[in-house]
Amino acid sequence: MAGAELPDEPPRGVRLLPYFDAYVVAGRPRELLYAGAAAERALAGGQAGNFPVLLVGGQVSGVWHQRRKGRTMDVTVEPLRDLTSAQARELDEQVQRLGVVMEAAPRLTIGTVTVGAHA
């Protein structure tokens, strides 16, 4: 059985990953996955998975939270770095996709996530 091989190209794109997603829990080296402010904001006491995360280009680049109210779902995303206009469009597409999966009308807010870990 062959070992895991690294892809030829770095990861691209914007993704909203849920609590305890395997990519962010098991991803190594952790200091690259959670670079800079991401380690402080998205890790709870050094433990991964306690916050849903915004992933940009394969790196944790923010946190997010969703709250459902009837048929509406408010999604707050707290980016830890500026997003390009293309990345902002991808983020909006991710929020729309989340709305389809959750069968709710999503509303995106870019701002501070005020809930704690594993809320």
Side-chain angles (χ1 to χ4, degrees):
M1 181 170 157
E5 294 187 28
L6 295 175
D8 292 333
E9 295 182 23
R12 292 186 302 213
V14 174
R15 300 289 180 267
L16 293 174
L17 299 183
Y19 289 107
F20 299 102
D21 185 85
Y23 183 85
V24 295
V25 171
R28 296 287 189 268
R30 187 164 277 176
E31 60 274 4
L32 294 179
L33 184 58
Y34 290 90
E40 185 175 319
R41 183 63 179 105
L43 295 173
Q47 182 179 4
N50 286 299
F51 288 95
V53 299
L54 168 67
L55 203 68
V56 178
Q59 270 191 324
V60 174
S61 299
V63 296
W64 67 279
H65 183 259
Q66 62 93 14
R67 178 161 301 173
R68 188 168 183 146
K69 298 174 189 171
R71 297 260 322 127
T72 302
M73 181 177 58
D74 291 313
V75 178
T76 302
V77 178
E78 180 182 335
L80 299 173
R81 64 182 192 193
D82 291 335
L83 300 177
T84 66
S85 57
Q87 290 167 337
R89 282 191 303 276
E90 283 186 76
L91 174 57
D92 189 57
E93 290 169 7
Q94 287 288 293
V95 170
Q96 295 304 314
R97 183 176 178 185
L98 185 61
V100 170
V101 170
M102 299 296 290
E103 297 180 347
R107 294 187 301 205
L108 172 61
T109 300
I110 302 294
T112 303
V113 172
T114 57
V115 297
H118 201 59

